[in-house]
Amino acid sequence: MKWIVLLGLLAFSECIVKIPLRRMKTMRNTVSGKNMLNSFLKEHTYSLSQISSPVSNLTIHPLRNIRDIFYVGNITIGTPPQEFQVIFDTGSSLLWVPSVSCKSSTCSTRRRFRHLLSSTFRSTNVNCRITYESGRIKGKVVHDTVRIGDLVSTDQLFGLSIEEYGFQGLPFDGILGLNYPNISCPGVIPVFDNLMKQGAVAEPVFAFYLNKSKQEGSVVMFGGVDQRYYEGELNWIPLIKLGSWTIHMDRISMRREVIACSDGCEAIVDTGTSAIRGPRRLINNIQKLIGAKRCGFKHYVSCSVVNTLPSIIFTISGINYPVPARAYILKDSLGYCHTAFKEKRVTTSTESWVLGDVFLRLYFSVFDRGNDRISLARPV
Ligand SMILES: *[C@@H]1O[C@H](CO)[C@@H](O)[C@H](O)[C@H]1NC(C)=O
Ligand SMILES: *[C@@H]1O[C@H](CO)[C@@H](O)[C@H](O)[C@H]1NC(C)=O
Ligand SMILES: *[C@@H]1O[C@H](CO)[C@@H](O)[C@H](O)[C@H]1NC(C)=O
Ligand SMILES: *[C@@H]1O[C@H](CO)[C@@H](O)[C@H](O)[C@H]1NC(C)=O
């Protein structure tokens, strides 16, 4: 979870009009993104033999798309169940929701867990702090029954936030981490690990289908992969760091020129991030190539350039994953267009990128705990 916090509506209109309408050279329509992917998919096919769950054994859980920034889904905690809206986040491992005793002002606008009303609730003495790219929480580790649709995780350890920083105005109650156990509070077994341990999922796999624009239609599925959500083959990519959804990326290119990740780099596949994030210098260079001008926290372009800008191509395990301008240019609520590229706030010694929802809307993604790999495919 390294989401972009949108605080209020800042008046950007003033600097918008100052952005010169930069004429982009019209691109020759060489290869369309879809065809390019098609031909690469034909050359690199892998069999799906290990993931063949019948659809009847899957839990397909609806997610609601909030302005193409957040994808939230409902879970319940406790007996009788109390409902919460959470982000299903492959970038973190802990499940947490606000505690009824949370004093931070941000908690007052969200649903809070009332532990006294749950007969299956158990407390612990463990306190825990979690820091995300855009906020942090301080809370207590507790146990209770957690339900995601028909999936039940009994005696699930999770966090109840007592203090929060940086969660103003966000349209969800908490976060359900789907990363490996490493990035969690001490001793806490994450929800998906518990579901695997308790035999609740047929296969140690979950997958995301994120629809663009439409509020409904997006899903996260647990226990297998529903082939109705993608076309062609799944392209498997091994993890390079056990204990995190991190893969190797070959390069990032535009107009057949490498523009980043020139010696290879790592990429974190993160459903809890909305943008594509990378090192500051490289992100700034991409903004320049797109002709975007900074204003406040974002880089803006004239909306009309969407039709002339080329795709940016992410090459992973030898396969090209084009991200067309209509995906990396987003329109805000005031009708202004900005890019979906953001610098990473946390710097690392190796070149590291975060592929967030902007990328994952274009590619159906499978997270395979059984084989420590990720797969990408063309969505339906
Ligand atoms: C979550 O539950 C609320 C009712 O509490 C419902 O209105 C909403 O549509 C649900 N969201 C999803 C994604 O199913
Ligand atoms: C679903 O998965 C469970 C657990 O692996 C298995 O026992 C059951 O037979 C499966 N059901 C179907 C319909 O395949
Ligand atoms: C996703 O959205 C498109 C339109 O934006 C729609 O045609 C398609 O059916 C949607 N997919 C699902 C599964 O709802
Ligand atoms: C995460 O845990 C796995 C197995 O428990 C271990 O092999 C791996 O090194 C850990 N990764 C990190 C980044 O700590």
Side-chain angles (χ1 to χ4, degrees), residues 193-255:
D193 287 77
N194 218 33
L195 290 172
M196 291 193 290
K197 215 176 78 185
Q198 295 177 356
V201 282
E203 296 186 73
V205 170
F206 54 88
F208 282 85
Y209 170 85
L210 303 181
N211 206 334
K212 190 175 159 63
S213 310
K214 287 220 324 191
Q215 253 188 31
E216 316 295 332
S218 301
V219 298
V220 54
M221 58 192 81
F222 295 95
V225 180
D226 186 339
Q227 301 186 11
R228 289 174 302 180
Y229 284 91
Y230 68 92
E231 293 170 355
E233 300 294 326
L234 293 173
N235 301 295
W236 291 108
I237 306 155
L239 301 184
I240 52 169
K241 275 189 183 168
L242 270 193
S244 143
W245 297 115
T246 305
I247 54 181
H248 176 80
M249 185 149 68
D250 305 339
R251 64 185 167 275
I252 301 173
S253 51
M254 184 179 180
R255 297 189 174 106

Side-chain angles (χ1 to χ4, degrees), residues 228-290:
R228 289 174 302 180
Y229 284 91
Y230 68 92
E231 293 170 355
E233 300 294 326
L234 293 173
N235 301 295
W236 291 108
I237 306 155
L239 301 184
I240 52 169
K241 275 189 183 168
L242 270 193
S244 143
W245 297 115
T246 305
I247 54 181
H248 176 80
M249 185 149 68
D250 305 339
R251 64 185 167 275
I252 301 173
S253 51
M254 184 179 180
R255 297 189 174 106
R256 302 218 166 91
E257 267 178 50
V258 176
I259 56 170
C261 189
S262 46
D263 299 319
C265 59
E266 58 180 57
I268 299 161
V269 183
D270 186 355
T271 57
T273 288
S274 58
I276 293 175
R277 287 182 177 262
R280 173 185 299 178
R281 183 177 60 82
L282 298 166
I283 288 286
N284 284 344
N285 184 46
I286 290 178
Q287 311 285 24
K288 227 166 79 190
L289 291 168
I290 296 171

Side-chain angles (χ1 to χ4, degrees), residues 178 270 376:
L178 288 170
D270 186 355
L376 299 171

Side-chain angles (χ1 to χ4, degrees), residues 350-370:
T350 51
E351 184 179 337
S352 168
W353 288 75
V354 180
L355 301 177
D357 299 339
V358 166
F359 185 85
L360 297 172
R361 272 197 283 276
L362 298 166
Y363 301 104
F364 176 81
S365 54
V366 183
F367 299 80
D368 181 356
R369 284 289 300 271

Side-chain angles (χ1 to χ4, degrees), residues 3-39:
W3 68 84
I4 314 162
V5 184
L6 297 175
L7 297 177
L9 281 178
L10 299 170
F12 284 130
S13 49
E14 242 172 77
C15 39
I16 295 286
V17 295
K18 289 186 200 140
I19 298 174
L21 289 182
R22 188 170 182 275
R23 286 247 165 257
M24 301 296 301
K25 276 188 213 127
T26 318
M27 278 296 294
R28 265 186 306 135
N29 228 347
T30 40
V31 206
S32 87
K34 203 163 182 181
N35 289 338
M36 194 185 294
L37 180 66
N38 255 332
S39 55

Side-chain angles (χ1 to χ4, degrees), residues 62-64 72-74 83 85 111:
L63 299 177
R64 192 154 55 88
V72 299
N74 291 335
E83 191 175 62
Q85 219 173 69
R111 280 178 277 196

